[in-house]
Amino acid sequence: MDTATPAVTVALHDGASVIASSGQVDARRHGELLLPAVDRVLAEAGVKLDAVTGVVVGVGPGPYTGLRVGLVTAATFGSALSVPVHGLCTLDGLAYAAGQGGLEGPFAVATDARRKEVYWARYEDARTRTGDPAVDRPADIAAELAGLPVVGAGAVLYPVAFPDARGPEHVAAGALAALAAERLAAGQELLEPRPLYLRRPDAQVPKNYKVVTPK
């Protein structure tokens, strides 16, 4: 599952292929849409929740509020089912999906970080990220990424900075699950299911607020 972008996306993978998936784009309803999507995917696959043997969740980077919905839900399922919970970079899932769609590297991935910024990373190919994810203004990295295809909603939002925008626009849990299954089968360790925010949340305690105490 992944809620790091406006897409609320869930998939069920049997170790070899995706057997059911769901995706809906709505940046304001992550908490409302995620659990029904899980129910829908399980029903489509004809299995019960207790058949799940592991959970993979996108850790971002992404905005604080949406990202934590998926992470908290994944942790809850892991605890309730006594199964492992694995983290995976959301940008890696987008890169992998682009590769499944035929895109060859090198290229970059960029998602909407709001505040007129993007979360982004460069890739040698669909499976190989060449550095840590970052958050920047599109104009500040346009020269660095010049000539490269850029996958994701960030490229679509800022066509001047990223003229060679490619799909997919949003991450799909099926690609995330397939990449995780591939890495686990190869004996690779996945990330801890901890949020990759890259910056502080918008909501902060106001400075110099008035303290009111009872007399």
Side-chain angles (χ1 to χ4, degrees):
M1 64 182 68
D2 194 296
T3 59
T5 74
V8 179
T9 177
V10 177
L12 191 65
H13 197 280
D14 65 1
S17 62
V18 175
I19 56 177
S21 64
S22 172
Q24 187 169 347
V25 178
D26 192 325
R28 299 182 181 277
R29 299 173 63 208
H30 292 90
E32 180 182 343
L33 296 174
L34 183 57
L35 289 178
V38 172
D39 288 341
R40 213 163 37 244
V41 165
L42 291 171
E44 181 182 334
V47 300
K48 300 293 186 182
L49 183 60
D50 59 9
V52 172
T53 57
V55 180
V56 174
V57 60
V59 301
Y64 178 79
T65 302
L67 179 55
R68 67 178 179 174
V69 170
L71 286 161
V72 169
T73 303
T76 301
F77 282 150
S79 178
L81 299 171
S82 297
V83 299
V85 180
H86 305 287
L88 201 62
C89 175
T90 298
L91 301 181
D92 290 358
L94 264 166
Y96 188 79
Q100 289 180 314
L103 181 62
E104 298 180 355
F107 60 88
V109 173
T111 61
D112 182 18
R114 303 174 185 172
R115 304 183 191 175
K116 298 182 179 180
E117 294 178 328
V118 294
Y119 298 117
W120 69 281
R122 291 183 63 144
Y123 290 81
E124 186 64 30
D125 55 50
R127 294 174 174 82
T128 310
R129 178 160 35 88
T130 58
D132 292 331
V135 57
D136 288 288
R137 290 184 175 272
D140 293 340
I141 58 173
E144 182 177 350
L145 301 183
L148 292 179
V150 183
V151 175
V156 175
L157 283 170
Y158 302 101
V160 173
F162 312 121
D164 190 3
R166 305 288 184 93
E169 188 171 340
H170 298 290
V171 67
L176 207 70
L179 177 58
E182 184 178 294
R183 289 180 175 176
L184 290 171
Q188 299 178 28
E189 289 189 9
L190 300 186
L191 301 175
E192 292 293 321
R194 296 173 182 169
L196 183 60
Y197 292 130
L198 300 187
R199 67 186 182 202
R200 297 180 63 84
D202 292 330
Q204 297 185 28
V205 177
K207 297 179 180 179
N208 302 320
Y209 63 89
K210 183 177 181 182
V211 178
V212 178
T213 56
K215 294 182 180 181

